[in-house]
Each structure stands twice: as C-alpha cells, then as structure tokens.
Amino acid sequence: MRTVALPRSGVHAADQASAAMLRGSWYEIDLDAICHNYRQLRRHLPCHVKVYACLKRNAYGCGAGPVASALAKEGVDGFAVASLLDAIAIRQQGVSQQLLLYPGALPAAAPTIQSLDLTVSVSSIEELEQWRAAIPRLRVFIKVDLGFFRAGATPFDAGKLLAAAAGLADVQVEGIYAHMSELPTVQGSDADEQLARMQAILREASGFGWRPAVVMMSSTEGVLNHPDLDFDAVDPGALFFGLPESDKPTRPVILRPALKSICSSLVSVKRLDASLGPVPAIFGKTPGMILGVIGMGWGDGLPREIPSGAVGLIRGQRARLLPPAHLEHIRIDLTDVPEARYGDQVVLLGRQGDQSITHEEAATCWGTDIVGLYAQLRDHIPRIYTQSKGKPQ
Ligand SMILES: *Cc1c(COP(=O)(O)O)cnc(C)c1O
C-alpha cells in the first residue's frame, strides 16, 4: 500500500502568503489604511471618548485577528464583535483590550466566553438570568433599542433591567449601549429622538443612583455626523475599512479603503477550435477565441450572475468575464490578450499596470454597494497584509 507523506506541520502552519500561493487567489488588505482611518477618527474625537472598534463579520471580511492586532498597537480602547469565532481570532493575536460581544453568542458558550475574558450584551432580565446561571462573575453591557427595532431593551424596559442588574453583587455592569441607526422605512425616528430616548434612560438610572462607566451609541454614521452622540465611547465599524456612510460628513475625515485587491490566477488557457463545435452564443461571438479559466467562482464570493461589462485585468489589459459563473471557476475571454499564459495573475479588483478596477466599478458590476463588496469577502480566501512602505507582512 502506498502512503502519502504529509509535511508534519501541515498546511495549518503555512502563513498567509504561502496559503495564497497554495490557493492561487487572495485578498490584499492594507493595514496602513485601516490605521490611518483610525487616526483620522481619533483626531476628530474629544480625548475622553473611547473607541471600541467594531470588527464584526471577520472585520468586514478583512480578518479580525490581524486588524485587531494593528489597531491595538495604535491604541484603540476596545473591540466589539458578534461572533465568538471573531473574538477567538482577536484573542489569539494576543490582543488584551476589552472585547464586547454584541448579541450573537448564547450562554451555552460560557466556558469559551470566560476563557477569552469577554463582556456580554444583555437586553432583558431573562437574558441576564440565563447568563448569571452560566457565568459566576458576569461582566455585561446593557443593550438598549432606541428605535432600530433590533436587539436591546425598549426604553420602557431599560430602566427596570438596569435597576435589576445594578443591584446584583455578582454582576458587573460595565456600560450601556445602543446602535443608533434607522430603518429605511421608518419615518421620524431620527438621531435627535434616539438621543432623547437615551437621555431619558440615563435620567431614570441616575434616579436610583446609578451612572454607567460607559455610555455608547455612535457607529460610523453617528460618529461622522452627530458629535452630540459621542458620550463616553463610540463603536464604529465600517469607518475603519474606508466605508463612509455619508458623502459630506460633519467630521471631515479622509478615509482610505482597506481592500486593495482581489487577485486570482489563470488555471487554464486554450484556443478554441472546431472540434468543440461552434463557440456558444452566451459567450458573444468570437471565432478563434482564446478561453481562460480563473480559479475563483461564485462560491468564493464573486457574483453568481456575470453581468455584461464585467472584466478582469490580465497582463495589464482589461478582458471580459464570460457567463455563467461556476462554484470555483469563471471564464475570461483572452482573445485580445494572446500573450496570456497558464498561471498568470488576474486582478478582479485593484490595479495592474496602468489599468484598475475601482471599488465603485466592482460594486456596480456585482450589483451591490461598497459595504456589500466587503461583506462578500469569504473567510476561506487567504489574505495578504501590507503595511508600512508597502512591504508585505
Ligand atoms: C454593526 C454595528 C456597529 C458598527 O456599525 P458601522 O455602521 O459599521 O459603523 C456598531 N454597533 C452595533 C451594535 C453594530 O451591530
């Protein structure tokens, strides 16, 4: 019987750069841009306002661990995530700042939460009791809903929840927070009203002698446009990745995009001949077509429908992507790039030679917006991080 020798350390030990080589596809993430965006924010915030970086959804696809590590070195005060996997990735980087769990994990995950030293969110007395039963010395942020109609106690229930939590010797209430945001369909529940609701909750709390150490309600939209909502801390997320929520923010930050490129490789190249029959009409008629195959597909976060006008960059030229998309493969028309070779790099977002595919172009082409582009980034695709002087990390 033949056995296959595997390297003892296995592929898990491979660093991101060699993982990119193994797969032939990768995302290039600019940690400098993320740190720059943080410094922009910090410059416009009063000193006493803490920044909790919201790194949910694996830091908007950019990798929670490395992003947290870079921001921790910049002096960010804390972090917030919804998924325990993101919390694990952050702690594995040796990041020791306060780490808040948004609603997401359940008390069944108590041992992991304790070992990672996390602060949990609590939105009701029922939640509080379940968490207390699971974790002996519980640390919580009380979450309130000010008009977003998502998780969080209603303003009516918030006072009772705070009073209950504040009266428990085994529970440490570290703060109170809300996600100031508006549903597109809701009329009239604006930032001022949400602020008034938060103030009413705080008045009620001070009525029974309680003042939370941290009050927080501003994410990217709030921190850019409503300085009156700063309170003690803010928890923006999109901002770090260069995704401004408005074109002309009140705080004139200049943000840089974190995602520098989406790269893949040609895994097949051939000149079509008559033995295959006629070129399918779906490709657009191209006699003597040179067909390339890119090693990335809709299972890797690329669009399932290839729109007309979608291109990849190869050998510094724009070449048409051809429908339909497949799970791990997409075709590209290389007829006008006859010098293209098996193994060549294909850029699907970013720059190659004189050509570039901007975030705006990619988002339009993929039928999404720029936040949607980041949300499509998949965790199984390796990321290459660039830092100071463009040197790969
Ligand atoms: C997503 C989220 C944020 C950050 O929102 P951005 O718009 O990305 O800044 C902050 N707080 C909570 C509770 C969130 O869910």
Side-chain angles (χ1 to χ4, degrees):
M1 199 211 292
R2 283 204 307 166
T3 56
V4 180
L6 286 172
R8 200 173 317 155
S9 56
V11 285
H12 294 298
D15 62 15
Q16 289 287 320
S18 55
M21 264 165 45
L22 291 178
R23 183 169 263 277
S25 301
W26 63 91
Y27 304 135
E28 193 183 348
I29 307 294
D30 184 352
L31 288 176
D32 279 341
I34 295 170
C35 293
H36 161 91
N37 296 339
Y38 168 66
R39 288 193 292 266
Q40 283 282 307
L41 169 66
R42 188 72 264 177
R43 187 197 295 178
H44 288 91
L45 277 180
C47 301
H48 74 274
V49 177
K50 291 184 173 169
V51 175
Y52 287 70
C54 166
L55 301 187
K56 65 187 179 190
R57 184 57 266 294
N58 201 8
Y60 296 68
C62 294
V67 171
S69 175
L71 287 174
K73 289 188 192 109
E74 289 288 323
V76 162
D77 300 282
F79 296 94
V81 295
S83 156
L84 269 181
L85 293 178
D86 292 341
I88 291 168
I90 291 172
R91 287 293 190 236
Q92 276 176 346
Q93 295 281 321
V95 169
S96 60
Q97 271 87 345
Q98 187 175 20
L99 182 38
L100 168 65
L101 266 183
Y102 293 145
L106 294 173
T112 306
I113 288 168
Q114 284 175 282
S115 71
L116 297 175
D117 193 23
L118 307 180
T119 304
V120 301
S121 296
V122 165
S123 299
S124 69
I125 291 182
E126 157 88 26
E127 289 178 27
L128 181 62
E129 289 311 322
Q130 286 204 25
W131 281 108
R132 270 183 85 204
I135 296 182
R137 278 180 310 284
L138 187 63
R139 291 170 28 212
V140 301
F141 260 60
I142 301 294
K143 178 154 200 193
V144 294
D145 184 0
L146 301 176
F148 192 33
F149 297 85
R150 218 171 59 178
T154 64
F156 177 73
D157 284 336
K160 279 172 282 184
L161 174 58
L162 278 173
L168 295 169
D170 59 336
V171 175
Q172 193 181 334
V173 183
E174 297 187 333
I176 177 172
Y177 80 105
H179 186 37
M180 200 289 287
S181 200
E182 292 158 38
L183 289 175
T185 51
V186 171
Q187 300 285 312
S189 181
D190 63 8
D192 291 341
E193 275 180 59
Q194 299 201 23
L195 172 61
R197 289 182 185 134
M198 180 62 106
Q199 283 164 335
I201 294 167
L202 296 175
R203 267 197 307 277
E204 192 178 342
S206 69
F208 55 83
W210 188 73
R211 167 74 173 97
V214 175
V215 178
M216 173 166 86
M217 65 181 285
S218 265
S219 53
T220 298
E221 151 72 13
V223 88
L224 290 183
N225 291 310
H226 303 284
D228 50 327
L229 306 184
D230 285 346
F231 286 100
D232 309 299
V234 296
D235 61 338
L239 177 141
F240 292 100
F241 307 96
L243 310 172
E245 306 260 304
S246 61
D247 285 341
K248 288 209 162 39
T250 307
R251 286 185 162 134
V253 295
I254 295 164
L255 303 177
R256 281 166 39 191
L259 176 63
K260 243 175 138 170
S261 66
I262 298 177
C263 294
S264 190
S265 311
L266 281 182
V267 299
S268 171
V269 178
K270 66 170 168 268
R271 185 175 288 276
L272 301 186
D273 61 46
S275 67
L276 273 174
V279 174
I282 190 173
F283 296 169
K285 64 166 176 40
T286 312
M289 179 182 235
I290 304 175
L291 184 76
V293 179
I294 301 168
M296 245 184 161
W298 62 264
D300 302 308
L302 297 180
R304 181 137 197 200
E305 307 285 340
I306 304 282
S308 69
V311 296
L313 306 181
I314 174 132
R315 300 239 167 182
Q317 295 174 62
R318 296 167 80 87
R320 288 192 306 146
L321 303 184
L322 302 171
H326 298 272
L327 197 59
E328 293 197 299
H329 290 138
I330 287 180
R331 299 173 188 82
I332 184 166
D333 181 359
L334 300 176
T335 313
D336 295 333
V337 198
E339 65 277 28
R341 289 290 172 273
Y342 171 69
D344 278 359
Q345 196 188 104
V346 183
V347 168
L348 298 167
L349 178 145
R351 173 164 286 282
Q352 193 189 61
D354 296 336
Q355 290 292 332
S356 71
I357 299 172
T358 64
H359 287 60
E360 287 74 15
E361 179 182 350
T364 307
C365 187
W366 298 21
T368 183
D369 56 10
I370 294 178
V371 185
L373 203 64
Y374 280 75
Q376 301 265 69
L377 300 179
R378 297 296 167 94
D379 294 344
H380 66 270
I381 302 291
R383 295 177 202 82
I384 293 178
Y385 292 94
T386 51
Q387 226 169 358
S388 299
K389 301 157 215 121
K391 186 168 56 90
Q393 198 185 234

